[in-house]
Every structure is written in C-alpha cells, then in structure tokens.
Amino acid sequence: MRRLLLTLLLLPLAAPAAHAESWCAYPLWVHEWGVHVFASDGQPAAVALPEYFHTPSAPTQPDPSGAVRNLPADSGVRALPVLHFYSAGSLSSPIPVGVEVGFTHGAASAWYPAVDRVRPAAEANGAEARAVRAKVEALRQERVKIGGFGGGRPAVPLDPTRQLVWDRIDLTPTPARKPAVPVGADWVYGARDFSSLWANTASESERFVFYEAGTREQVPLKLVRGDTWAKGRRHYVLHNTGAFPVDDVFVVTREGGQTYVFYAPAIPAGKSAGFLVEDHRVKDVKAATRDRLRAVLVDPAHPDVPAEYRWDDGSCTMMRDPAIPVEEAAGHKLFGPEADLVLKLWGDRFFGQQGTTIVYREDVKALDAAMPLSIYTDMYNFVVLHRAGLAVWEHVKLP
C-alpha cells in the first residue's frame, strides 16, 4: 500500500507587542493526512505524483519493481500523506523544523522535498536499529530530567529507525525557491492553495512535506455473516482483529440506484459491530457520507487556522529543548480546507463506487506505531501534531 503525507505550514503572523507573553513559545500546528488504500485487485492509488518527486535510486523492498500490481493481495499503499505547518505568530523567522519518518511495515517509495538521509527499510526496521532507538529514548529522558540550558546534558545520537530524514526545513511566508510545475498532478495546486507556510530546503520549496510507502499491512477488519442472515435481511458482523481501535467506520453498499450506509463511531480492538444492510438505506447519500466524514475531521470550534494565539489561560511553554522531538499525535482534527481537499481527491473513491466499500479512520496511536514521525523545532515554538489517517478497503465481497 502507499500512503501519501502532506505537511502544510501556515504563515506566521506578526508577533504581538512586547510583553511578558513574548517570551512564551508559539504553537506550530503540524497536520498530517493520508489515505491507506487496500485493494484486492491491486488498483493504483487515486492520485498521481509529479515526476519530480524523489524516489529511491535502488530497490529498498523485496519487490524489485515496487509496482502496486505486485503487492500481496489485500495489501495496499499508504498514499498521498501530506504534512502541513501552521503558525499564528513566532519569534523565529524562518521557523526551523526537522522531520523524520519511519515505516515499520514497508519501505519509503517517494518523498518531497529532497531529504538529507534515506535509510533502507531492512536497516531502519531491524533489531540493531530498535536497540539504538531504546538508547535514544533513554538519553532524551535524561535531558528532560536535567532540564535547563546549561551543560551536563548528554548528546542524543540519530534515531536509526527513521527511513527519511530532513535535518532542517525553513518555514517561511513565501517560497525561497521557485516551486516546480506539477504536470499531471493538479492536486498539488490544491495543496498549495492554503494560507500555510512554505517548506524550504537548500534546493527546493513546497507548501508541504510529502512521503509515501508501500507496506505489508493488512486490513484489520473481517466481515462475516451474522446469525440471523436471510435474503432481503442481510445481517453482517464486522470484527476488528487489529491491536488498535478503528474509528468512524463507513460501510457503503451501492447496488444499482440504491445506497446503504452503515456508520459506527468506533470499533475497539477485539470487538465487533453488527448491522442489517437493508436497515441502512439512505436517500441523502452526501449527508450520510461526505458531510458526515467532514464533520468527523474538522473541529467546529477551530475550523480555520487561528489568526492569533494568546496565553489567556495562563499556560506558557518556555525553556524547550530543541533536541526533544514531538512523536505522539495530540488528535486527528484538521482545518476545514484540508478536509475539503481530502474529500475532493478521495470522495468518489470512498463513497461513489458500485459494490461495497469500507472506509474508516485509523487510530492516532496506530498511525504513530505504523508510521512513526518525529518533529523538531527551536525553543521559540512548540509542536502540536494532528494526524488524520483514513483507510479505504475497496471491492469488499459480501459473504
């Protein structure tokens, strides 16, 4: 499977007049969205990549071609993951960030802008790398305990479990270099059409950071007939066989002119949800699918990037250690324009196909485990990471 990730950066607004709050760090919102495609017939992901995106110069996974058609049945692609960066003010200009991405079930297949290091999946996911990672975590905790900005804090080595490493990306209101023309990949224009910061490396500028991978992950769901199944009263049970919850589950069955939509807010790990197909016929398909998913993805209290940030609640983040990255997502909510782009790109694939399609949102802890992400920034900013990972299981055969 391929997953595409985009990270967008929002323009930092002018810092407020000098006052005590000016010593507090500003939030840097980092939003990741992507789609995990599971297709038993090996269909390619719905979104084409620009030809200038970077790919491995040599195979980094067992399949020498890397082609989706050669992936195992019912596996897929983590497709179009995009990182966006947003700020409502900062004492840094530009805002420096470091980004490291791992794929615990596969190998990186494309990225942009150019990275500083690429590690083969076999190395990054091996036992030796995991052992070094444990030492890295211990040294970070030691730095946290010591605190302050004086000496005596241990140096932290590179984390060898990350396949893609951007040591420094400068976030700015305007691009430092002329953006490339994404011939055949118009979605890039949509991803640029946000009030986000530009991500600049030594040679390239883009409004997002992108990465994707082919993986060996399997659908964590199993669909079976329920005990009361009968013709015209099709009873099914959806089992979550995975180690994490699956959230916001849509089972969409389109048969001719009829559409049936079963929705479950969550199915915990090891649990099940049952439904009768015929009880979930809908007339307003858009309200039952696209509108509902958008409502799930967007925080109604913050549908847009905040125009300013104040510390009115008395909170103030200070004395941050730039050597300590953020690696756990605080939630899954996106801003409205991001959710709208997801639906524009994927809505038909999610909800418009004949037959049965299952769409769900991956738990943020599942994302942290499958695609570990490390975000670094300076002492004047603090990272607030949100990850919205959607999965689509296509051409599901009703038992």
Side-chain angles (χ1 to χ4, degrees), residues 1 37-46 67-77 218-219 349 353-357 392-397:
M1 47 191 82
V37 181
F38 294 96
S40 59
D41 60 358
Q43 283 195 69
V68 173
R69 64 181 177 274
N70 293 328
L71 292 172
D74 291 321
S75 187
V77 175
Q218 301 290 304
V219 179
R349 190 88 174 251
Q353 301 189 76
Q354 285 292 308
T356 297
T357 305
V392 54
W393 179 15
E394 303 179 295
H395 314 298
V396 179
K397 296 179 181 179

Side-chain angles (χ1 to χ4, degrees), residues 106-177:
S109 57
W111 56 87
Y112 197 83
V115 295
D116 294 293
R117 278 182 299 284
V118 181
R119 290 189 184 89
E123 175 185 326
N125 297 330
E128 183 177 346
R130 291 195 298 270
V132 175
R133 163 72 185 185
K135 295 179 181 178
V136 167
E137 291 177 313
L139 289 170
R140 287 174 180 169
Q141 289 302 313
E142 188 174 343
R143 289 179 69 99
V144 170
K145 290 178 181 178
I146 295 172
F149 287 90
R153 292 179 299 167
V156 180
L158 294 173
D159 182 348
T161 66
R162 304 308 193 239
Q163 294 183 34
L164 302 178
V165 178
W166 289 268
D167 285 327
R168 178 168 179 141
I169 297 171
D170 287 332
L171 308 181
T172 58
T174 57
R177 287 147 197 92

Side-chain angles (χ1 to χ4, degrees), residues 9 23 60 64 95 101 169 190 223 233 250 276 312 339 353 361 396:
L9 316 174
W23 295 104
T60 56
I95 299 175
V101 185
I169 297 171
L223 186 67
R233 295 287 291 170
F250 294 80
L276 294 172
D312 294 335
Q353 301 189 76
R361 182 174 59 80
V396 179

